[in-house]
Amino acid sequence: MASDARIEMSDSARLDILAGEISPVLLELMMDLADVTPYGVTVMATGHPYHVFGTDRVSHHTLGRAIDIYLVGGRQVVDDRGEESATRALVDWLYAHPDVVQVGSPWDVDGPVERRSFADVVHQDHIHVAVVGEDA
């Protein structure tokens, strides 16, 4: 998994996997996602703030249940934000996945009421994906 050529990742993300810090549910999602498209991950657990920015809630990243994707099919998320883009299609795929509990991206797929999906200024250049369940 940590050496899958379809998944570009930072050294810290790779080390999080090798150290057993990442949820098996997230690892399975990452493999499923690599079957859909190659992608790049910037942050998993290491390097992400302990709390969700501006709150006292523990981040899904801290628990080993979230990744930030900056690259989809060779294009940076920030440069691929059209409604018909591969990045938008991936956001829709992630939102439909039963293990995904949170998708932050340039698009709020479900609107302000549901809040499983969200878009804000922080998530214009990457896709935040968090999964249910068991910690690493």
Side-chain angles (χ1 to χ4, degrees):
M1 166 75 196
S3 61
D4 191 317
R6 302 170 300 170
I7 308 169
E8 180 182 308
M9 64 181 84
S10 63
D11 289 341
S12 63
R14 192 175 322 282
L15 290 172
D16 284 344
I17 293 170
L18 295 173
E21 299 294 324
I22 304 306
S23 162
V25 175
L26 182 56
L27 294 174
E28 184 66 32
L29 175 73
M30 290 175 68
M31 294 306 295
D32 291 349
L33 180 53
D35 289 340
V36 173
T37 187
Y39 63 97
V41 174
T42 54
V43 174
M44 294 179 95
T46 302
H48 195 277
Y50 185 82
H51 291 105
V52 175
F53 183 73
T55 76
D56 60 357
R57 293 188 328 267
V58 176
S59 169
H60 286 287
H61 289 276
T62 301
L63 301 173
R65 295 192 312 235
I67 58 173
D68 286 344
I69 299 169
Y70 81 98
L71 190 70
V72 175
R75 295 204 59 200
Q76 290 192 19
V77 170
V78 71
D79 296 328
D80 196 39
R81 295 182 294 170
E83 285 298 321
E84 302 298 321
S85 67
T87 299
R88 173 58 197 251
L90 183 62
V91 166
D92 292 339
W93 183 90
L94 288 163
Y95 183 79
H97 195 285
D99 291 332
V100 173
V101 295
Q102 234 178 25
V103 180
S105 74
W107 305 275
D108 185 353
V109 176
D110 58 13
V113 175
E114 187 67 30
R115 298 308 298 157
R116 208 174 122 235
S117 171
F118 60 91
D120 57 25
V121 68
V122 174
H123 293 89
Q124 295 301 302
D125 65 351
H126 70 280
I127 303 167
H128 163 84
V129 184
V131 297
V132 296
E134 72 188 81
D135 299 343

